[in-house]
Amino acid sequence: QQQVKQSPQSLIVQKGGISIINCAYENTAFDYFPWYQQFPGKGPALLIAIRPDVSEKKEGRFTISFNKSAKQFSLHIMDSQPGDSATYFCAASYNFNKFYFGSGTKLNVKP
Amino acid sequence: DAGVIQSPRHEVTEMGQEVTLRCKPISGHNSLFWYRQTMMRGLELLIYFNNNVPIDDSGMPEDRFSAKMPNASFSTLKIQPSEPRDSAVYFCASRGRNGAYNEQFFGPGTRLTVL
């Protein structure tokens, strides 16, 4: 059973637009929800993360919105830039050990 | 800091051969993770170590897969015998103690092709 479901699979956004990627999880024991960014030929890199005791976290143009009751969280990229074109993964874990990753969203920001 | 180092970066082998992937974690990190990434299954955790001890290997797909961490600066993932369905990108990641985000730092990956 897939622990973390991610959508959409791919996303095309115009430069300056807002990119939104959604994730849903099942296990209410999860207590850490990171987002990773991966460029071709590279390993994933941590972008931003949130704990379930807050509903939103913002770092620059990147914001995580978290809805504990719905067991959903999303990544918003404001003022999307061509350099943001990458694959984005959501993840969830408990006790910061075993991480479950979403299937990934390939973002293409058109200039 | 060199980051997580993986070798080889690319490996092409024939079915039935033994494959060994290597990882050097970031110095001072005490946790190490092996992941496999494929188009069909995404990014899957295979096994992780804390302080060189395997904690959870439930993601290791079959007995053909084995992993070791003989010391804090080196780990191997071995596939014997290899099969075409093992073709994937294998990532190693390491994590330090009590980081603000408990961030995992991923290596560049090893792209394995089994013919």
Side-chain angles (χ1 to χ4, degrees):
Chain A
Q1 180 184 3
Q2 195 174 6
Q3 296 271 4
V4 180
K5 296 182 180 180
Q6 182 173 347
S7 63
Q9 190 173 16
S10 62
L11 183 61
I12 299 174
V13 174
Q14 290 295 127
K15 178 182 176 182
I18 302 173
S19 304
I20 301 175
I21 305 171
N22 301 300
C23 283
Y25 63 97
E26 290 296 326
N27 191 338
T28 55
F30 288 144
D31 58 5
Y32 179 64
F33 301 89
W35 284 90
Y36 285 81
Q37 180 187 56
Q38 184 179 26
F39 293 104
K42 304 290 186 182
L46 179 66
L47 187 63
I48 186 173
I50 197 168
R51 300 292 298 273
D53 53 349
V54 297
S55 60
E56 186 176 279
K57 182 164 187 179
K58 183 175 181 178
E59 289 186 359
R61 296 184 294 108
F62 300 91
T63 299
I64 298 178
S65 295
F66 187 82
N67 186 328
K68 189 174 181 178
S69 61
K71 294 188 288 184
Q72 296 175 346
F73 58 111
S74 59
L75 176 69
H76 296 236
I77 305 175
M78 311 299 288
D79 187 26
S80 298
Q81 299 296 312
D84 297 331
S85 297
T87 299
Y88 292 81
F89 294 91
C90 62
S93 80
Y94 47 87
N95 295 329
F96 300 105
N97 282 322
K98 197 163 185 174
F99 281 65
Y100 297 88
F101 283 80
S103 54
T105 297
K106 189 170 184 179
L107 172 65
N108 186 5
V109 181
K110 297 285 192 182
Chain B
D1 194 342
V4 176
I5 299 173
Q6 291 187 247
S7 65
R9 293 294 311 276
H10 302 272
E11 176 80 30
V12 180
T13 190
E14 292 189 346
M15 183 174 64
Q17 297 298 306
E18 175 181 306
V19 175
T20 299
L21 311 181
R22 297 172 176 80
C23 175
K24 177 179 169 56
I26 293 172
S27 177
H29 281 190
N30 69 321
S31 298
L32 184 139
F33 305 79
W34 281 101
Y35 290 90
R36 178 173 67 176
Q37 186 174 42
T38 61
M39 289 293 293
M40 290 296 295
R41 300 176 67 87
L43 197 59
E44 303 173 279
L45 176 67
L46 300 177
I47 185 172
Y48 74 90
F49 297 82
N50 277 351
N51 298 316
N52 312 336
V53 177
I55 303 299
D56 188 334
D57 65 354
S58 59
M60 297 284 263
E62 299 173 33
D63 291 345
R64 298 184 296 106
F65 286 69
S66 63
K68 294 181 179 179
M69 192 164 185
N71 56 63
S73 59
F74 184 66
S75 178
T76 60
L77 178 67
K78 184 180 292 185
I79 308 173
Q80 179 184 23
S82 59
E83 297 183 3
R85 60 195 168 117
D86 301 331
S87 297
V89 180
Y90 291 81
F91 289 103
C92 174
S94 71
R95 188 184 70 203
R97 303 174 190 270
N98 302 319
Y101 287 106
N102 284 277
E103 179 179 356
Q104 294 185 38
F105 292 84
F106 283 78
T110 294
R111 181 174 294 277
L112 172 64
T113 303
V114 183
L115 303 174

